[in-house]
Amino acid sequence: MSDTKKDSWHDLQAYTSARIAQGRSGVSLPIAANLKFQLDHARARDAVHTAFNIHSFIDSYLAAFPSADAPLCVASSADSRGQYLQRPDLGRQLPEAQWQQLRQSLKSEGGSDIAVVVADGLSSAAVQRHALPLLALLLPAIANQGFSLAPLCLATQARVALGDDIGEAIKAKLLVMLIGERPGLSSPDSLGMYITYSPQRARTDAQRNCISNIRDGGHSYQQACDTGIYLIAAAMEKAQTGISLKDESMLLDSPTTTAIPFLKPSA
Amino acid sequence: MPFSVNIGHQHYVFADLKTLLAKATPARSGDSLAGIAATSNEERVAAQYTLADLPLRHFLNDVVIPYEDDEVTRLIIDSHSAQAFQLVSHLTVGGFRDWLLSDVATTESLRGLAPGLTPEMVAAVSKLMRVQDLILVAKKCEVITRFRNTIGLANHFSTRLQPNHPSDDAAGIAASIVDGLLYASGDAVIGINPASDNTQTVTRLLHLLDDVITRFDIPTQSCVLTHVTTTLELINRGAPVDLVFQSIAGSQAANTSFGVNLAILAEAQSAAHALQRGTVGNNVMYFETGQGSALSANAHCGVDQQTLEVRAYAVARAFSPLLVNTVVGFIGPEYLYNGKQIIRAGLEDHFCGKLLGLPMGCDICYTNHAEADQDDMDMLLTQFAAAGGSFIMGIPGADDIMLNYQTTSFHDALYIRRLLNLPPAPEFFQWLQTSEIMDERGVLFSGAALPPRFARALVLPGAS
């Protein structure tokens, strides 16, 4: 790598996770930076295409919550990953038979206050890594608020709006969906939490609240749980979610630098 | 009015103009998602045969979205120049394709023709063209725009420096700007996609960019890509706005879902004009588009995504933009599934925009759930530059850490400059030379030590 040119400003890397000052071979990316990019892209692709391992997730869940009901498992109307990626409409719908099955699984006629769904979305890696630790905080916190919980539901080939069908079928007043987000090159395992009051088909995204970027280097489980509980309590009180229900808790506001320490004051 | 054709023993009927255009479109996932794509390969070619025989004049009397319902249609029809159209008014769509490729169609004749073309004519002819046709004809078009430098000169190539940061952190953004400038990026614009729409954040970023441009005396322009109404409000409060940004689409309903209409765009253009911040010209608008945006807004009106994309260019051209950028692979695989679809769409968009007289750039990009990778981006970049594309994005290491997608890097721009001998805008190129970042042959400085202008201004953390 003797012909590779290093960039004298590489110390600026301390200020951003952007891929600055990578150096050059001629005008091109040096091999080390090129391989790092390929590795990160491979991980992001794998996050999209690796199937959500439901069985191992159920084992871990029941080990963490020994007295919990066995989770309900559903799949959207998209029958393959290829179809899921090209037909988001199918990923938003439960097949009729599954809807009926969920409805028949109901133990009480009145349903429950809150249902939680864990869904693969666009990153199974996000769900495998972050869903259980988040549930470990979130489920007890919901119970502490005095709300009744439906059995956990696991969904595959799922878009956010699949939760509307699920919530309607199991008669939940409010639905919390934990779903793998579109993976970024530097964040293949980002989890999102979507909260929808009175879930039913034809709800729009403007009628949900979202906490995104739950991952290492993003929002912590505790931040996500605290904000989630704040939004859930407010939604149950006001009987709505969406743009009218702003996050006034300010928990997710991260401070930003407004000064540029490496720039000398201008003369 | 239905159209029909016999292909062998098969009789094909297309119910109306928008159906014919949709069925004639080369395959892409978005049209399948909308349920309007050809259902077989033969049906697609049958539609192309039918379209090839359609007189261009037909498009002046038959629209894809009704005139009464849609202000974009009204703009297209009301602003059409019959005089400019005369040059090709005798041609069919197929004949127009041959004419465009012929030596009669020169840079000058195409410039004169642009006001006589409607987006639907241009979309239609592009559906009958192969990639090499799209490249060869687009290369003949020259569209030059100016603000603090000159963009779009033949055999020049510009880049937008895109220093995004997930929390709009000033130091993080500035670090990417320094990196980009030292890699010779930023003549099209230094443009930030803010993570927050908060007016205080946007104001802070506008001042940050203005300070950098003033302090380093860079002949370029800045933009914070926030909603036009936010920019308008900030202009009224005295913020240093160079360019007004807005995403636009090809139907009134889609633009409504973006919270814009022609009147708002005109108001913003006029407010930015009044600031008189340009030095060599006053093209103050920066538009972004992308196939599939109308469908994703549930406002496609049964029209294929490529025709809608070109209708968005009719909106753009009403406001004499400095830059129009088709963000081709951003929206996801449900609209453009793979590298092949992204590459063709990028070249179609460039061709169609240029033919209509627009300064077309391309955000050559993909998301991680699309079937695409860096090789696909290299192919589109090379073909886009060969076609005479005006500008691309420039970002550290091709990784946008705020928008979570991959676009072209500073290195990618250096590659295409070296391969095809394409310098940046002349004013900016001159600045790079006086700043000792590039020499007059376009060779970048070594990077081993900061150029004097930057050494004087920066304190590197490890340097003390």
Side-chain angles (χ1 to χ4, degrees), chain B residues 28-169:
Chain B
R28 62 205 60 195
S29 49
D31 292 336
S32 299
L33 177 62
I36 56 177
T39 50
S40 71
N41 292 308
E42 187 176 285
E43 187 191 24
R44 177 170 298 113
V45 180
Q48 290 172 349
Y49 265 99
T50 311
L51 194 57
D53 282 342
L54 194 68
L56 286 178
R57 275 193 311 274
H58 184 93
F59 291 92
L60 300 177
N61 300 309
D62 190 3
V63 296
V64 294
I65 305 176
Y67 184 92
E68 300 73 27
D69 300 348
D70 188 285
E71 68 170 0
V72 180
T73 303
R74 291 196 289 277
L75 172 70
I76 291 165
I77 297 297
D78 297 349
S79 64
H80 180 254
S81 164
Q83 196 187 348
F85 179 59
Q86 272 186 1
L87 189 61
V88 295
S89 62
H90 59 293
L91 295 173
T92 60
V93 177
F96 184 42
R97 179 262 183 197
D98 288 346
W99 183 90
L100 286 169
L101 288 162
S102 78
D103 294 335
V104 181
T106 61
T107 300
E108 282 317 304
S109 60
L110 290 173
R111 193 193 314 278
L113 174 62
L117 297 176
T118 69
E120 289 83 357
M121 292 176 193
V122 172
V125 76
S126 77
K127 296 175 195 298
L128 306 182
M129 295 170 79
R130 289 169 52 191
V131 159
Q132 62 167 264
D133 304 344
L134 296 169
I135 292 174
L136 209 51
V137 177
K139 178 72 180 171
K140 297 195 226 185
C141 300
E142 190 181 52
V143 180
I144 297 168
T145 55
R146 295 180 177 90
F147 189 77
R148 289 198 192 103
N149 56 28
T150 309
I151 293 166
L153 291 170
N155 301 312
H156 287 65
F157 198 65
S158 297
T159 53
R160 165 186 165 193
L161 203 175
Q162 183 171 311
N164 295 344
H165 188 276
S167 62
D168 297 323
D169 182 275

Side-chain angles (χ1 to χ4, degrees), chain A residues 5-9 11 15 17 19-24 37 41 45 86 89 182-183 186 256-258 262 264, chain B residues 167 169-170 172 179 183 215 337 368-371 374 397 399 403-404 411 445-448 456-459 462:
Chain A
K5 295 188 172 78
K6 290 225 169 84
D7 292 328
S8 51
W9 59 96
D11 286 342
Y15 296 101
S17 56
R19 295 171 197 236
I20 64 167
Q22 295 194 102
R24 289 177 285 128
F37 186 103
H41 185 233
R45 298 279 296 153
Q86 291 184 71
D89 53 327
R182 197 177 89 177
S186 304
T256 56
T257 62
T258 53
F262 53 86
K264 290 181 194 165
Chain B
S167 62
D169 182 275
D179 194 52
Y183 274 76
R215 172 145 185 193
Y337 184 59
N368 289 312
H369 61 316
E371 292 294 317
Q374 291 298 90
D399 174 15
L403 292 171
N404 277 337
H411 291 78
F445 82 114
S446 82
R456 283 196 298 274
L458 300 184
V459 194

Side-chain angles (χ1 to χ4, degrees), chain B residues 14 27 45 99 127 140 208 246 268-269 291 295 301 307 328 331 338-339 353 364 381 383 416 431 441:
Chain B
F14 306 102
V45 180
W99 183 90
K127 296 175 195 298
K140 297 195 226 185
L208 188 162
Q246 184 56 46
Q269 182 193 20
Q291 292 190 25
L295 175 57
C301 309
T307 300
V328 71
I331 193 163
N338 54 23
I364 295 168
L381 170 59
Q383 295 169 33
I416 206 69
W431 178 83
R441 295 165 302 150

Side-chain angles (χ1 to χ4, degrees), chain B residues 160-227:
Chain B
R160 165 186 165 193
L161 203 175
Q162 183 171 311
N164 295 344
H165 188 276
S167 62
D168 297 323
D169 182 275
I173 286 171
S176 287
I177 293 176
V178 167
D179 194 52
L181 292 172
L182 293 173
Y183 274 76
S185 179
D187 54 334
V189 61
I190 304 177
I192 303 171
N193 298 92
S196 161
D197 287 334
N198 179 290
T199 52
Q200 278 162 334
T201 303
V202 175
T203 306
R204 178 167 63 76
L205 296 178
L206 282 168
H207 281 286
L208 188 162
L209 292 175
D210 190 47
D211 290 350
V212 168
I213 287 173
T214 306
R215 172 145 185 193
F216 291 92
D217 198 20
I218 313 170
T220 191
Q221 37 281 332
S222 73
C223 189
V224 176
L225 286 73
T226 189
H227 195 267

